Amino acid sequence: MLLPRAVLLLLVLPTHGQNSVTEGPGVLLPPPKGACTGWVAGIPGHPGHNGTPGRDGRDGTPGEKGEKGDPGLIGPKGDTGETGVTGVEGPRGFPGTPGRKGEPGESAYVHRSAFSVGLESRVTVPNVPIRFTKIFYNLQNHYDGTTGKFHCNIPGLYYFSYHITVYLKDVKVSLYKKDKAMLFTYDQYQENNVDQASGSVLLHLEVGDQVWLQVYGDGNSYGVYADNVHDSTFTGFLLYHDTN
């Protein structure tokens, strides 16, 4: 027991020439006041409690920019925005390719009815249809040269005209439809002169209607004339047919 105590005493005695005691590496403790030289230090006490945390330090310098992260999930569709202003019209595009040829349509039936006739001699009988026996055109045979009457076979609107050479007598001519005078023409003969009289009209006809010319009045107005160099003509044709 004596040997360990002697060793311990040697360890705790101050080194020659020292006036203070160390506490830990590099820390000098002053000798206790009033103590004698050669005092013996006690055993170190227990560590004290942790002190309160110090203040936050200054912000460090920003670090380098990190790598780009992965794309996030697609968000929900937003509300439709307001309609924008109409832009300027663009340039005209190139013509498109022609479409397919259509199916053949039904052929349209063309209604035809026309005649043009003339006198071959002077008229001397009043108040009966004038028989125009010189045929210029009567392909549909709707004009009857034996009676001097046009017979309607297609209902619709017709145009009729006549051109009369007046010679030797005055002329009074009327255009009839179904035994009713529709148009009158009068021309007074000038002695030693050949005169002209004419008229035209639009008439709506039904199937079976008849149209003709005749001299009206007394027997002194039958100056309707024709020869090899003078003509008196009667013409009529369908403008358009009824659709119902």
Side-chain angles (χ1 to χ4, degrees):
M1 291 297 291
L2 295 177
L3 182 59
R5 288 181 178 179
V7 172
L8 179 61
L9 181 60
L10 292 174
L11 292 175
V12 300
L13 286 178
T15 308
H16 177 74
Q18 288 181 336
N19 297 323
S20 61
V21 181
T22 62
E23 181 183 280
V27 179
L28 298 177
L29 296 178
K33 296 180 180 180
C36 297
T37 303
W39 62 278
V40 178
I43 300 171
H46 297 289
H49 297 290
N50 294 331
T52 57
R55 292 183 300 173
D56 293 340
R58 296 180 180 178
D59 294 336
T61 57
E64 295 181 0
K65 185 176 181 180
E67 296 180 359
K68 185 177 181 180
D70 296 331
L73 300 176
I74 298 175
K77 183 178 180 180
D79 297 333
T80 303
E82 297 181 358
T83 304
V85 180
T86 303
V88 180
E89 183 178 357
R92 184 175 181 179
F94 294 103
T97 56
R100 294 188 306 164
K101 185 177 181 180
E103 299 293 333
E106 297 181 359
S107 59
Y109 179 78
V110 179
H111 298 272
R112 292 185 175 91
S113 179
F115 73 95
S116 183
V117 292
L119 277 181
E120 291 184 303
S121 61
R122 179 185 174 191
V123 174
T124 58
V125 182
N127 300 317
V128 295
I130 300 174
R131 294 175 61 248
F132 294 85
T133 55
K134 183 187 291 187
I135 306 300
F136 300 114
Y137 179 86
N138 191 28
L139 186 61
Q140 294 80 34
N141 291 317
H142 293 169
Y143 172 80
D144 186 355
T146 61
T147 62
K149 295 181 179 181
F150 169 78
H151 297 263
C152 177
N153 290 268
I154 303 171
L157 185 67
Y158 287 79
Y159 174 80
F160 294 96
S161 66
Y162 51 87
H163 177 84
I164 303 299
T165 297
V166 180
Y167 185 59
L168 298 178
K169 293 286 184 179
D170 296 344
V171 166
K172 293 180 179 179
V173 175
S174 57
L175 184 141
Y176 277 76
K177 169 191 171 184
K178 294 175 58 176
D179 296 323
K180 180 180 179 181
M182 307 298 294
L183 187 66
F184 296 90
T185 298
Y186 171 74
D187 186 82
Q188 187 176 18
Y189 169 67
Q190 301 296 324
E191 188 174 357
N192 298 323
N193 192 18
V194 176
D195 206 354
Q196 309 292 328
S198 62
S200 61
V201 67
L202 288 173
L203 294 176
H204 182 270
L205 302 182
E206 301 290 346
V207 174
D209 288 348
Q210 297 176 348
V211 178
W212 68 91
L213 282 176
Q214 73 179 38
V215 174
Y216 70 91
D218 55 32
N220 294 323
S221 301
Y222 50 86
V224 179
Y225 184 80
D227 58 21
N228 60 339
V229 293
H230 298 90
D231 284 304
S232 293
T233 60
F234 181 33
T235 299
F237 55 85
L238 174 68
L239 283 178
Y240 57 85
H241 69 284
D242 292 346
T243 57
N244 51 6

